[in-house]
Amino acid sequence: MRALTKVWAVVAVGVLAAACSSSGKPSPQHSFGSLTGKSTTLTLAPTFVQSLAKLGAAPTPIGKAQVAIPKLTFPITGGHLDIYKSGDATPPVQGVVDHRGSGLELTVGQGKKKSAIDLKNLVIDLGAKTMSGDVTRSGTVLFRD
């Protein structure tokens, strides 16, 4: 009986150790620790494109970005991705995608009435479903990510 008690004690300790070391979050099926060399293409919503037209805003690329309204393409400069089995995590693809050194400039007006807003160094967070970056107006930083 004493030997059986020892076996159960060892099993219980093993189970507790495994439970304590587990984060409760499933492991990804695939992980990409470093993203570079490809690009992200975003399609602007038709209402946003219409708003730009009404404002007379002329979108131009910054850095190596490409602008062909309604599509914007930014080179990927870094980030990481984790891909989970369907049902293990929501969303199943999580991580961040960096686009440093490129962006979009929106210019309105001409001459002394010209104003420009720069949106650059975009970071897409796939888990949070957000996009952030640096916003400047005529050289003044309004927001920095």
Side-chain angles (χ1 to χ4, degrees):
M1 186 74 165
R2 188 173 190 134
L4 186 58
T5 302
K6 283 184 178 180
V7 169
W8 281 111
V10 169
V11 169
V13 168
V15 168
L16 283 173
C20 290
S21 67
S22 173
S23 66
K25 184 176 181 181
S27 296
Q29 285 187 315
H30 303 284
S31 286
F32 301 93
S34 179
L35 304 176
T36 57
K38 299 288 182 182
S39 61
T40 300
T41 299
L42 303 173
T43 302
L44 299 174
T47 53
F48 185 76
V49 173
Q50 291 166 0
S51 296
L52 289 177
K54 285 180 186 176
L55 291 171
T60 56
I62 296 173
K64 294 183 179 180
Q66 297 175 1
V67 177
I69 300 297
K71 303 222 183 267
L72 309 173
T73 302
F74 306 102
I76 296 172
T77 59
H80 65 276
L81 289 178
D82 291 328
I83 302 173
Y84 294 89
K85 185 175 118 183
S86 183
D88 279 357
T90 302
V93 178
Q94 298 184 16
V96 296
V97 183
D98 296 322
H99 307 87
R100 300 285 173 202
S102 64
L104 177 69
E105 180 178 80
L106 299 173
T107 305
V108 178
Q110 297 176 352
K112 291 183 179 181
K113 293 187 177 189
K114 181 178 174 181
S115 182
I117 300 279
D118 290 350
L119 312 169
K120 61 184 179 181
N121 300 324
L122 303 175
V123 177
I124 298 173
D125 185 327
L126 297 167
K129 297 181 183 179
T130 61
M131 183 171 66
S132 60
D134 300 340
V135 180
T136 59
R137 179 175 180 239
S138 300
T140 302
V141 175
L142 301 176
F143 176 80
R144 177 154 283 143
D145 182 39

